[in-house]
Amino acid sequence: MVLILMGPPGCGKGTQGKRLEERYSIPQLAMGDMLREAVRNETPVGKRAKSYMDRGALGPDDLIIEVMRERMGREDCAKGFILDGFPRTLAQAEALGGLLGDLNKKITAVINLDVADEEVVKRLAGRRSCKSCGAAYHVAFSPPKINGVCDKCGKELIQRSDDNENTVRQRLSVYREQTAPLISFYDRMGLLKNVQGTGTIDEIFRSVCSLIDKETGR
Ligand code: AMP
């Protein structure tokens, strides 16, 4: 099974992807997480991606496609995977077709989580995550018990450097210009499933799962 999660930054791709990973026992391949790890480890990929990420722009297609090619080829991807934050351009979507062909796989469904711009800004400005275990919080919607401290492991909570209002607005405009056209690209291929991205995490998860189960006959 190959699932693609689409939607603007802050639409809940990461959160839903984690849940889908557990339910369907296939890994979530989150491009943003892979790039942040590369930046932290100062790898050649990280060094090249950093300046784009800092200003809310998209990294170069050739780099991103290469990172994905390498990741998809690993053993844990044999039964399928969930793509979160890839593809984000038409060139990446076209390259994905080739990568999947090489692996003898096909896209099962493209889930588009729909959330309005103002809601995105509110969500991302309050988003925090644990420096150590990655658990996600929101200062207003799902705060930790102790301010700034992870409930699960007691380590410090941090804010992503690109979650400030200016960079979020820049990321949104990049999304509208470069990524939103993929919605009609996948719709024309008959793969697109639209899901309302507002509501509780559980409600959205139920909608997403019922669409996938219908598609796969589970
Ligand atoms: P995310 O965590 O998905 O919001 O991604 C964070 C940042 O990583 C983006 O703002 C981009 O700079 C970069 N990035 C993530 N995925 C891609 C992609 N598919 N293509 C280009 N840049 C990406």
Side-chain angles (χ1 to χ4, degrees):
M1 170 151 65
V2 174
L3 300 173
I4 300 181
L5 292 172
M6 283 210 32
C11 69
K13 297 187 292 290
T15 305
Q16 297 297 331
K18 274 199 193 75
R19 296 229 177 162
L20 292 168
E21 178 175 67
E22 269 177 40
R23 180 176 164 122
Y24 296 103
S25 304
I26 49 174
Q28 172 188 25
L29 311 187
M31 182 55 75
D33 289 349
M34 293 190 244
L35 295 176
R36 276 183 292 279
E37 193 186 337
V39 169
R40 266 197 309 278
N41 295 335
E42 298 182 9
T43 66
V45 167
K47 284 184 187 151
R48 216 175 139 203
K50 187 175 183 321
S51 65
Y52 297 93
M53 298 172 79
D54 285 346
R55 58 176 201 273
L58 294 182
D61 285 331
D62 63 333
L63 176 79
I64 301 292
I65 291 163
E66 219 23 66
V67 169
M68 199 38 100
R69 180 200 306 280
E70 190 278 321
R71 181 64 188 89
M72 279 179 181
R74 292 198 213 157
E75 214 179 292
D76 63 335
C77 290
K79 280 201 257 149
F81 37 80
I82 302 153
L83 297 175
D84 158 7
F86 179 90
R88 260 170 150 127
T89 63
L90 220 43
Q92 291 176 18
E94 278 159 4
L96 174 62
L99 296 180
L100 292 177
D102 292 345
L103 295 169
N104 227 341
K105 291 195 186 317
K106 279 197 313 211
I107 298 169
T108 309
V110 178
I111 312 284
N112 181 43
L113 296 169
D114 197 21
V115 176
D117 285 10
E118 285 317 303
E119 173 73 16
V120 163
V121 176
K122 254 197 298 182
R123 283 186 185 187
L124 293 191
R127 179 158 83 168
R128 302 290 183 272
S129 65
C130 175
K131 202 174 156 177
S132 172
C133 73
Y137 298 88
H138 189 282
V139 293
F141 311 137
S142 60
K145 293 195 185 86
I146 302 166
N147 198 7
V149 179
C150 180
D151 291 348
K152 296 193 177 127
C153 72
K155 295 279 167 29
E156 188 192 349
L157 299 186
I158 51 168
Q159 180 175 32
R160 265 172 59 171
S161 58
D162 59 353
D163 275 350
N164 64 80
E165 184 164 344
N166 279 345
T167 314
V168 168
R169 295 213 182 267
Q170 173 58 25
R171 285 160 62 202
L172 267 171
S173 90
V174 165
Y175 171 77
R176 299 281 166 228
E177 277 168 32
Q178 302 193 56
T179 308
L182 298 187
I183 295 173
S184 50
F185 175 85
Y186 285 121
D187 197 17
R188 282 195 299 274
M189 290 169 74
L191 292 168
L192 190 77
K193 312 279 171 208
N194 280 305
V195 174
Q196 180 68 259
T198 44
T200 67
I201 292 172
D202 284 342
E203 280 164 0
I204 299 166
F205 185 60
R206 274 197 295 276
S207 311
V208 171
C209 291
S210 82
L211 284 169
I212 296 170
D213 292 347
K214 214 191 254 160
E215 198 58 38
T216 56
R218 267 169 73 118

